[in-house]
Amino acid sequence: MKYRLLPALLLPAAFATAQPTARPPQTIALPPELADKNNQFSGLYLHGRELLLLSESRLQEQAEAKVYGLPLASLNRQLTGQPRELPYHKYPIRGLDQLRARIDSLGQVYEGLESLTVLNGELYFTVETATAAPYCYLIKGRFDAAHTAIQLDPAYLVTLAKPALPNGAHVYNAGFEALARYRRHLLLLFEYNAFPPDNKALLLPAAATRPTQVQSVPVAALPFRVTDMVRTGRGRYTAINYFFNGPDDSVYRPAPTDASSRLVLDSAGRYQNYCRLVSLRYRRRKLRWEPLLELPRSYMTYNWEGLAAYRGGYFLLNDKYGPSGQSTLLYIKQK
């Protein structure tokens, strides 16, 4: 089912009650090392013949900085009903401790890696910082010659200013969790995109090294969180749009008068977790969105953080939160 793009102000009212749904998802059986919830996966990216799984790499918790790679050929076998154990590669991320020290020395407090994309052979990562910090960061690296590890560029550390609420405070536990390429540029979307009176994504040349090279891109107001984004065509993207019902996340709750509140309230008026995919289009220097598909209710209690488009569907990956108590990798398609 396809939708035409509507003016931004009409989107929430038009789509709050009519959400396309997904086919029953397929669960990928992950090896025990990857299923361990302590990986706290925060991103997915399809690169060459592998699906890359980004660990949040919380160095402050003595976590290992790493990316895992799953061969697409092996994933295909599982998707076609051949339940074999998946082979995998682990790629240590080298040099993150030095960049973390630089970030912490600036008073920003490193918290983890949140998204990954690849452009011109270079791997770009967004870095989340503590809630009170005014800045997040962009870093980059390359696979080494043996393709066994990722070496970060110690000189590349681009400052990304966080947007703030009208009172000057920063949004709880929010950073630039969505990152994708646009031509020779990088497009970054903040986790929270319902600021009054307007919202801004960021666009910067891949070769950028200074904050002055970062451009603002208007974004149609989008409720809830955005936790990952994948490029699906020229100027076209799909993103995870997720709502967690916890009291700490109250800033992400839409106003009762907002039509989208119907999506996150049960029949008794209590908040409930909610997750869907939305389609975004970057055109005429603006970013607009429309609903794409809604996850089945049984999968809305997972904290989905990774998204990759594949063969007309999507891989989805959670962090450590969810009823399975482990990392869960799904493949979904629209009905």
Side-chain angles (χ1 to χ4, degrees), residues 30-286:
L30 291 172
E33 182 177 338
L34 277 70
D36 185 348
K37 66 180 182 180
N38 292 316
N39 289 309
Q40 294 198 55
F41 289 119
S42 57
L44 284 176
Y45 190 80
L46 206 63
H47 180 56
R49 298 179 180 180
E50 285 188 310
L51 179 66
L52 300 181
L53 289 68
L54 171 65
S55 168
E56 197 169 342
S57 305
R58 295 180 64 85
L59 301 183
Q60 69 276 25
E61 297 173 2
Q62 287 72 56
E64 183 181 10
K66 61 193 173 186
V67 170
Y68 286 105
L70 293 174
L72 289 177
S74 299
L75 288 168
N76 285 335
R77 284 193 285 270
Q78 280 211 22
L79 292 174
T80 55
Q82 304 174 56
R84 300 181 185 178
E85 185 168 343
L86 286 173
Y88 62 91
H89 299 98
K90 182 170 73 172
Y91 302 109
I93 303 175
R94 296 173 178 163
L96 183 59
D97 50 349
Q98 292 94 329
L99 287 167
R100 177 209 175 186
R102 283 184 60 191
I103 291 168
D104 288 355
S105 72
L106 297 170
Q108 302 304 295
V109 188
Y110 169 96
E111 287 203 336
L113 304 180
E114 288 294 344
S115 59
L116 162 67
T117 198
V118 181
L119 178 59
N120 297 331
E122 294 189 296
L123 291 82
Y124 291 84
F125 304 86
T126 57
V127 176
E128 187 172 50
T129 54
T131 296
Y135 302 108
C136 289
Y137 293 89
L138 183 68
I139 61 177
K140 71 176 181 180
R142 284 183 175 271
F143 283 106
D144 62 12
H147 203 83
T148 57
I150 298 166
Q151 178 62 56
L152 296 179
D153 181 347
Y156 187 91
L157 184 66
V158 177
T159 302
L160 306 171
K162 293 181 185 178
L165 296 167
N167 64 2
H170 295 287
V171 177
Y172 167 72
N173 195 31
F176 291 91
E177 296 216 2
L179 169 66
R181 69 179 179 88
Y182 174 73
R183 298 180 180 175
R184 296 174 182 264
H185 289 64
L186 297 168
L187 182 66
L188 300 98
L189 194 58
F190 197 61
E191 189 169 359
Y192 180 65
N193 296 279
F195 286 96
D198 55 18
N199 308 276
K200 304 289 185 183
L202 301 180
L203 185 71
L204 66 153
T209 57
R210 300 185 304 277
T212 54
Q213 295 173 282
V214 178
Q215 306 169 43
S216 294
V217 175
V219 181
L222 177 56
F224 324 136
R225 293 177 181 261
V226 171
T227 58
D228 203 8
M229 176 170 68
V230 59
R231 181 179 180 271
T232 55
R234 184 172 178 177
R236 295 182 182 275
Y237 306 88
T238 297
I240 302 171
N241 191 208
Y242 176 72
F243 175 81
F244 176 66
N245 66 357
D248 288 340
D249 286 41
S250 59
V251 69
Y252 301 98
R253 296 175 181 176
T257 54
D258 189 324
S260 62
S261 65
R262 302 174 197 169
L263 300 173
V264 297
L265 293 172
D266 64 17
S267 58
R270 296 169 298 198
Y271 286 102
Q272 58 186 352
N273 287 21
Y274 179 78
C275 188
R276 64 182 173 183
L277 301 184
V278 295
S279 177
L280 300 106
R281 187 175 184 188
Y282 179 54
R283 188 181 183 191
R284 296 175 182 171
R285 300 184 181 180
K286 294 181 180 179

Side-chain angles (χ1 to χ4, degrees), residues 302-316:
Y302 292 78
N303 189 37
W304 300 110
E305 293 251 342
L307 180 69
Y310 186 63
R311 292 190 172 181
Y314 298 90
F315 288 111
L316 272 167

Side-chain angles (χ1 to χ4, degrees), residues 3 14-20 263 291:
Y3 294 94
F15 293 119
T17 58
Q19 300 289 306
L263 300 173

